[in-house]
Amino acid sequence: MKLIRTLLTLGLVAFSASGAFAAKKPGELKLFAWSEYVPQAVLDGFTAETGIKVSYETYASGEEMLAKLLSGGTRYDLIQPPDYVAEALIKDGLLVPIDQTKLKNFGNLMPEYLHMPHDPEQKFTVPYMVGTVGIVVNTEKVTEPILGYRDMFSAKYKNRIVALDDGRELAVTALYVLGKDLNDFSPANLAAVRPILAEWFPRIKLFDSDSPKTALLNGDVDLGLVWGGEAATLWNENKKFHYVLPAEGAHLFVDLLAIPKRARNVENAHLFIDYILRPEVSKLISDEFPYTNPNGPARKLLSAEQLANPASYPTTTRKLDTFRHIGDVGAAIDALITDLKNTK
Amino acid sequence: MPDTEPMIDLRNVTKRFGAFTAVDDITLQIQAGEFLTLLGPSGCGKTTLLRMLSGFETPDVGSIHIAGEEVTHLAPYRRNVNQVFQSYALFPHLSVRENIGFGLRMQKVSDVESRRRVAEVIDLVALGGFEDRMPHQLSGGQRQRVALARAIVPRPAVLLLDEPLSALDAKLRHQMQIELKRLQKHLGMTFVFVTHDQEEALTMSDRIAVFNQGRLEQLGTATDIYHQPRTAFVADFIGEANLLEAELLSRDGATGLIRLDGGLEVRVPLSAWPLDEPRAILSVRPEKVCISSAPVEGAQNSFEATITEEIFQGAIDHLVVRTDAGTVFNAVVANESAMMQAFHEGDRVWCGLHYDDVVIVRASPKPAGVAKP
Amino acid sequence: MQTLPGVNPENPHARRPGLAGWLLLAPMIVWLLLFVVAPMAILLVYSFCSRDDLGRVVFSFTWSNYARVFDPIYLQVLGRSVLYAAITTAICLAAGFPAGWFIARQRAAVRNRLLLLVMIPFWTSFLIRTYAWITILKSEGLLNATLLAARAIPAPLEMLYTPAAVMVGLVYAYLPFMILPVYGSAEKLDNALVDAAHDLGAGPVRAFSEVIIPLTWPGITAGVLLVFVPAIGMFAITDLMGGAKVAMIGNVIQNQFTKARNWPFGAALGIVFTLLFVLTYLALQWRGRRART
């Protein structure tokens, strides 16, 4: 039975490969994506099925992606921007509209992740994975309840905290505490944010965006402001790591797939997006990177345990906010963070 | 100089490097103002002995006194001795003047005093005009003088010289030998001079200490060492010698009849013959072997021989003669006049040996293969 | 730098390179043009430009990036980077000089084995070695476990993510770059020169300051440059072992090209930074020349 299926698959692959070859060369796909975000199995599966070679280049932050994309070195076919970066790219006309007629699996996406503020007409992007930024608590060490940023950054946890090394994420926590809009970085708001962060920074033991879970796992810290996916991995590792969506407010980030203007293989990019949207492929991504999966039928394939992971699928009644493009205020935030780290 | 206290007093000094004994139980006194040479082949322990005097090595056994003070374990910079290094060891980053003044600066001698003494020494070694040169701008001979000046300017009790002339060419070396000797007399300083060059040792020294395999073979004046070597090694190492194994046949008062290698029988004085030993070694300098066309007058031994080889060397003729009994001698004759009768290969001649010219010596162990410099 | 026989700078026999010389130099010159001169030129141009809101470089002349470099924030960051680098260099010199000297004084066989030990760390990636240090220093790490087991400490020490950890990382990373040039100089130094100094009445301290230091000065200079210059710009160690808490000039520049997307400002920082290196180098050169005369 298994053998027959294998043979069938092989035959199918051979057929599709030769068929594609007969029509035109299968060609390649230059994918530019987050590091540790696209499972190798997915890339291999896509190549096996279509014959399209995928070259996978990675970045560690949306800003780094933007920098490399705009420098125009490589002509990427498919990129994976976070929502607010995509918004900027759309605004500057740097993306190719996505032809939804070519995506027969588009309907799998859950409606709440479509027509979001970064792409209201849903013309340029397709959601890949969704996540939140929240607080991880090592409940073996921290016994008092941690409900929000104020609790977490309290003086009693001095040197027990890891935070994302990301100026905007840090500034947003203070905006929430002040009850301000998380996308409003007016000079007045920036000035108001400063004293709060100045008070909190000396209590933070380390800043790490790449792998904040490491310090928590190593026991160097007991509290962390981390990406939801990292928190989910920690939960899978040990149930003592609880995930909390902060009471003052939390934000949702959507990582998208989009096709840059200078792409050479637009057709292949569409093929890849459609492949990703298949429930069984999307499940593979969830298996390896436990973020929130926006694909309805894919979620149905997940185990009860996966769905019960509070960091992957946090239960909240509150509407979560999203980041918007904030223009060159980023530089001001960077200067603020540098200064705060400096005067500490 | 029997009544004066020695400048250097070495007692039972032994130094080992692992299993190798570099200096083996040396006891030696050196008098103030003496020019003493430590002579021997490389690896004989002479340099190690010098390094123990300067303080770079410490003896395993024994004691060293310099100028009445025990210095056996004293650091080099606390000893009132200075050394002229074989490689000169001039500081490449300092000028001639700074090199020479280095020792005075270390002794915290005042600037004025230091300048005066440096100028004086520069004068003494004829380096005027080179004060501001760097060492690499000097010739070998000039560097040698700087090294010498640098070592004498602090007025040490003893000056140690470690083969200081070996890097110079032959002509310059001869010149420096004479200069060094003159300088030593002028300063009245005790010089301990290390060399492997026997000619250098004979030219300059008041006394010579001949070393072999870490042991002191003989201590004496140049003439003593040359004419009365006590061991085969000394006889062989200093000058040239016919060394022949000898067997005592019969005694007759102060003299005896011996048979040499090859079978020749001669009569020699027995004062130096080792007691209870049937065999010993006879040493004769080549120039003491008298060659004549007639029986040699006044010689206690006279025998017929054939010249088997002749090497013309200008002032002298070097001959190899074989006696009828089969014993071979090297001989040297002066080429006094071109008119005079010369000897040639194949000539029949008479050889003569005077009692005074044959020396009975002890056998020495051959220098070992493993050598430690 | 002292001049040894045979490398006389005023050597009248030194010739200007002929055609063959230029041909031999050509690969080097091309390499320098492509990977040093051209990038520096681009950096220089960028440093006078500005950015749009996506972070793209806009070619319009401005001094504002340089004005921002001299903002107290960045001067402070630079000051701290220099301080950390200086401490690193001082520790490396204090530890590396004796090590290099000791190795140079050994027999050839022992010497080669010791040199190999110095160079073995280079066989492993720098990042892996830094992670190894994290494993050693973390709260539940090797060092704390050992100390706890030996009952030397009552509770785990907080070692990781402290300035001390950054120092450990920096010294560890750069120590070989001090040892090797010092070794190179010390190995060439004739032992007889040290003996001569002692012989002339110089105790260990005087012999060290009057003879050993001046004669190993080229090695010391090279070591100081090889440690100090990269230590200023280092950002990976401060991020990984210091917890990104204290900003170093390297982190700030890296940020400008990634997170902050402000290439012109990053370029201006880079240019100023490079000038600083050149000045350091000239200062050492000057000190060397003074030492010689």
Side-chain angles (χ1 to χ4, degrees), chain A residues 7-23 48-51:
Chain A
L7 283 174
L8 264 174
T9 318
L10 278 174
L12 205 70
V13 169
F15 173 78
S16 58
S18 61
F21 188 75
E49 191 174 305
T50 60

Side-chain angles (χ1 to χ4, degrees), chain A residues 44-61:
Chain A
D44 293 346
F46 178 70
T47 305
E49 191 174 305
T50 60
I52 296 166
K53 274 197 210 113
V54 183
S55 63
Y56 179 23
E57 216 176 293
T58 65
Y59 48 84
S61 72

Side-chain angles (χ1 to χ4, degrees), chain C residues 63-258:
Chain C
W63 283 101
S64 64
N65 297 311
Y66 285 98
R68 224 181 128 197
V69 169
F70 294 99
D71 183 311
I73 298 180
Y74 300 105
L75 286 183
Q76 229 177 332
V77 172
L78 188 65
R80 185 183 309 106
S81 304
V82 169
L83 179 72
Y84 269 60
I87 296 173
T88 304
T89 310
I91 297 176
C92 282
L93 188 60
F97 189 94
W101 176 264
F102 176 79
I103 294 172
R105 301 288 105 179
Q106 301 306 305
R107 287 185 291 118
V110 179
R111 206 161 59 201
N112 291 338
R113 238 166 279 165
L114 289 173
L115 280 178
L116 189 70
L117 285 181
V118 174
M119 286 186 277
I120 276 178
F122 292 121
W123 298 355
T124 317
S125 139
F126 160 75
L127 277 178
I128 290 175
R129 285 182 282 135
T130 306
Y131 277 111
W133 270 107
I134 292 177
T135 316
I136 293 170
L137 295 179
K138 68 187 183 187
S139 288
E140 295 165 8
L142 211 60
L143 188 55
N144 268 322
T146 313
L147 290 174
L148 282 172
R151 300 190 184 282
I153 49 168
L157 296 174
E158 295 296 329
M159 289 177 285
L160 201 54
Y161 312 123
T162 58
V166 175
M167 248 24 265
V168 167
L170 287 171
V171 169
Y172 170 76
Y174 293 118
L175 190 55
F177 296 100
M178 183 64 81
I179 294 179
L180 294 176
V182 167
Y183 162 80
S185 272
E187 200 248 329
K188 272 182 262 161
L189 189 142
D190 183 358
N191 229 354
L193 293 174
V194 183
D195 280 354
H198 286 313
D199 188 70
L200 291 164
V205 176
R206 301 293 307 263
F208 185 71
S209 63
E210 302 276 345
V211 174
I212 295 176
I213 294 265
L215 293 182
T216 49
W217 189 251
I220 295 172
T221 317
V224 166
L225 278 173
L226 286 175
V227 173
F228 185 70
V229 171
I232 295 181
M234 170 53 79
F235 56 84
I237 288 173
T238 40
D239 269 0
L240 291 173
M241 294 182 71
K245 267 191 297 188
V246 244
M248 292 292 164
I249 198 71
N251 301 88
V252 172
I253 294 178
Q254 187 210 17
N255 268 358
Q256 301 315 312
F257 286 93
T258 56

Side-chain angles (χ1 to χ4, degrees), chain A residues 23-43:
Chain A
K24 82 178 194 316
K25 252 171 51 177
E28 58 169 355
L29 178 74
K30 286 203 167 106
L31 175 63
F32 192 37
W34 290 91
S35 55
E36 307 260 316
Y37 214 16
V38 184
Q40 191 58 42
V42 170
L43 300 176

Side-chain angles (χ1 to χ4, degrees), chain B residues 111-148:
Chain B
D111 271 6
V112 182
E113 162 88 354
S114 166
R115 221 169 301 145
R116 189 183 59 74
R117 279 166 67 179
V118 168
E120 210 176 274
V121 170
I122 283 177
D123 225 33
L124 196 63
V125 298
L127 274 171
F130 293 93
E131 292 91 338
D132 295 319
R133 295 263 182 109
M134 298 305 279
H136 70 264
Q137 296 168 312
L138 301 177
S139 72
Q142 287 165 339
R143 282 183 214 181
Q144 217 282 318
R145 286 161 203 265
V146 177
L148 191 62

Side-chain angles (χ1 to χ4, degrees), chain A residues 66-84:
Chain A
L66 201 51
K68 280 197 184 164
L69 182 72
L70 296 178
S71 74
T74 310
R75 295 178 68 166
Y76 302 107
D77 298 317
L78 191 60
I79 56 173
Q80 207 180 32
D83 41 14
Y84 63 99

